[in-house]
Amino acid sequence: MQRLWSAISCVLLASAAAASSASSQSFENSAIVRTIDLGGSLVHVTTTFAVKALKEAVNVYTITLPEDEIFNTSWLEVKVKGNQHPLTITYSGAPVGSKSHNLDVNLEKPLEAGATINLVLETVQTHATWPWPKQAAQDEDQSLKYETSLFVLSPYNTSVQRTKFKSSSPRILSYTTPEDVQAFTVDNPVSKSGATVTYGPFNNVPSSVNSEFLEQYQQHVVLHYNYDYPVLEVLELKRAAEISHWGANLNIQDDIVLHNAGPQLKGHFSRLQHQSQSFYGRGAPHVLPLFTVQLPPGIRNTYYIDQIGNVSTSRLRAAPSVARGVKNTQNSVMELKPRYPIMGGWNYTYTLGWDAPLGDSGSYDSKTGKYLVSVPVMTEIPGAVVNNAEVSIILPEGATDVDYVTPFPALSNEISTHVTYLDTIGRPMVTFRYKNLTNKHAKPIYISYRVPISAHLRKPMAVTTALLTLFTFAMVARRVDLTIHKMPTRKM
């Protein structure tokens, strides 16, 4: 993500400066409200812009994000408030001399002068928090820190803006008090109520194009808060989805390296202390004893193994298959309990796989003669970010005319050949690579292909040929005499 934004910004630097200067007179912000839901590996940020058009027929609104924030952003979407359809976003570069980046939002229809609209920007930040203190004993609490900018940047003047930090726990240990902001508020610039910390309201905030404002008033705020859940990261995910027409089956296997990114364990691990805490229901928040994942309905032959072998401490509640065209309202639920509790700084490597009816996710178009199959990019582990993901879709042997549609661009993709048992020429395999995936990325990849009749017959012909060859060899071998000389027969 960082290299991508850096490369684009170098190309568009000069043009972005002129564009932002011209567009700053097109709108004004009546209000900006930013809500930050503090989490562990994931931080969800929702920013609402109450926008007023100052010119006629303007249809491009520019959003500015700080450099450090955009590098931590793994998912971004802009919608009109109350509308579920996302708007088109294009990157327009970085203003000269600033550490920020501009995104142009194309409105569905131009706004007349004086017209208003509410835009909602939703982002998911990854790796934006860090444990503090960095070590914790087995019976101690877990606390995290999060840092961001005080003012929401915008190339337009803003009448009023505020930022709300929401924590899952009211135990907020500390937060930064802004300095030298009397020009924008007459009240206390920060207040706390329960699990919410509010900065603002700040009035008459000038455009972020104003470098003097940024140098004099922009500052960072840090919140230190208790977090009662493990901070999880998937260091590596390798998903293999194998499509079989002979068995009408879709097999999915995930090889996962799970990491607890919370505070590292101070001292030695005590099994006795862990059992005692579990018995009395007072387990440490930074310890992961088990977790639950949502799997597709209608799955079967589920397996959960690690480097030692089968892990029997798991439970599956399978949901029945859903007929095609009927909305799915229930998923299979699997509770995974590792062999040992995963403490802060520890890793756990395991494999999770299952079979599903191919008809639940695939179809055949008789008009085009192509099969269409949907394969999810990932299975969400609640609250976890996937640092590196490799998704491989293995098609039937002999598949041709392969096309695919991804829900979001991949870092790279390639088509190769995968050879397994009873194959003759191998199977086409499409591989996609991603980084920093979140729960928002758990969407399907659609892949289409053709399988000629000759390809369907290739496997039984290969099996028949192999068996005939074996029988022929056995018949010939039985008739071959390998003795050096024959023993004389005795006459009675």
Side-chain angles (χ1 to χ4, degrees), residues 481-489:
D481 188 1
L482 299 179
T483 56
I484 298 177
H485 60 83
K486 293 184 178 180
M487 297 293 293
T489 58

Side-chain angles (χ1 to χ4, degrees), residues 192-461:
K192 178 182 179 296
S193 175
T196 302
V197 175
T198 303
Y199 285 85
F202 300 113
N203 302 304
N204 302 321
V205 179
S207 165
S208 59
V209 178
N210 188 338
S211 59
E212 181 180 350
F213 161 74
L214 295 179
E215 294 176 1
Q216 185 173 357
Y217 297 107
Q218 182 65 295
Q219 51 194 287
H220 283 79
V221 293
V222 179
L223 273 80
H224 187 197
Y225 59 98
N226 271 67
Y227 190 63
D228 297 330
Y229 307 94
V231 182
L232 301 182
E233 295 181 6
V234 176
L235 301 182
E236 186 175 9
L237 164 65
K238 289 187 177 180
R239 163 163 287 196
E242 184 172 347
I243 301 171
S244 173
H245 284 197
W246 278 99
N249 184 69
L250 174 63
N251 174 263
I252 293 182
Q253 176 174 302
D254 291 339
D255 296 321
I256 296 175
V257 180
L258 186 64
H259 174 68
N260 188 335
Q264 295 187 358
L265 177 63
K266 183 193 300 182
H268 298 286
F269 170 69
S270 170
R271 171 67 70 172
L272 178 61
Q273 186 179 10
H274 172 71
Q275 295 290 1
S276 176
Q277 290 175 330
S278 300
F279 180 79
Y280 290 105
R282 295 197 294 259
H286 54 85
V287 180
L288 178 66
L290 55 88
F291 58 99
T292 302
V293 294
Q294 302 278 337
L295 301 180
I299 62 174
R300 58 183 184 272
N301 302 329
T302 307
Y303 53 94
Y304 168 40
I305 59 177
D306 59 13
Q307 294 175 324
I308 298 176
N310 180 61
V311 184
S312 59
T313 53
S314 61
R315 292 188 297 175
L316 172 66
R317 297 189 294 273
S321 294
V322 178
R324 188 177 302 169
V326 179
K327 185 178 180 180
N328 178 33
T329 58
Q330 185 179 10
N331 291 323
S332 301
V333 179
M334 188 165 187
E335 183 182 275
L336 304 177
K337 187 175 182 180
R339 292 183 185 273
Y340 51 87
I342 305 176
M343 314 296 292
W346 290 13
N347 295 340
Y348 181 63
T349 302
Y350 68 94
T351 297
L352 176 63
W354 64 87
D355 292 327
L358 185 59
D360 289 357
S361 56
S363 61
Y364 176 73
D365 188 349
S366 58
K367 296 181 180 180
T368 60
K370 299 188 72 173
Y371 295 90
L372 178 65
V373 180
S374 63
V375 177
V377 172
M378 56 176 281
T379 296
E380 177 191 357
I381 297 178
V385 56
V386 180
N387 293 350
N388 297 282
E390 181 180 283
V391 182
S392 299
I393 303 177
I394 305 170
L395 304 178
E397 188 177 23
T400 60
D401 196 10
V402 179
D403 293 317
Y404 51 84
V405 177
T406 58
F408 44 89
L411 293 178
S412 65
N413 56 74
E414 62 179 3
I415 299 179
S416 57
T417 301
H418 176 80
V419 180
T420 184
Y421 61 92
L422 297 180
D423 284 349
T424 55
I425 61 174
R427 312 181 184 194
M429 181 174 69
V430 187
T431 302
F432 306 89
R433 294 179 177 86
Y434 299 97
K435 290 181 70 68
N436 295 333
L437 298 181
T438 70
N439 58 318
K440 297 291 187 178
H441 296 97
K443 299 179 179 180
I445 298 173
Y446 293 95
I447 187 164
S448 63
Y449 56 91
R450 286 189 175 92
V451 181
I453 298 178
S454 59
H456 285 293
L457 298 177
R458 182 177 284 112
K459 191 176 294 294
M461 291 296 296

Side-chain angles (χ1 to χ4, degrees), residues 160-181:
V160 60
Q161 70 167 252
R162 59 168 55 88
T163 297
K164 296 181 179 180
F165 294 86
K166 294 185 177 181
S167 173
S168 59
S169 168
R171 293 180 296 170
I172 298 177
L173 305 180
S174 65
Y175 49 87
T176 304
T177 300
E179 299 178 352
D180 302 326
V181 292

Side-chain angles (χ1 to χ4, degrees), residues 21-79:
S21 177
S23 63
S24 61
Q25 308 300 324
S26 302
F27 298 94
E28 71 174 4
N29 300 313
S30 302
I32 297 179
V33 178
R34 177 176 55 168
T35 303
I36 302 176
D37 292 318
L38 299 171
S41 294
L42 306 178
V43 174
H44 294 257
V45 182
T46 303
T47 307
T48 302
F49 299 86
V51 180
K52 180 181 180 181
L54 301 180
K55 293 183 178 181
E56 296 290 340
V58 287
N59 63 345
V60 177
Y61 180 84
T62 301
I63 292 176
T64 301
L65 294 178
E67 188 175 62
D68 53 353
E69 181 177 329
I70 203 168
F71 287 163
N72 289 331
T73 299
S74 294
W75 185 85
L76 183 148
E77 190 174 68
V78 178
K79 298 179 181 178

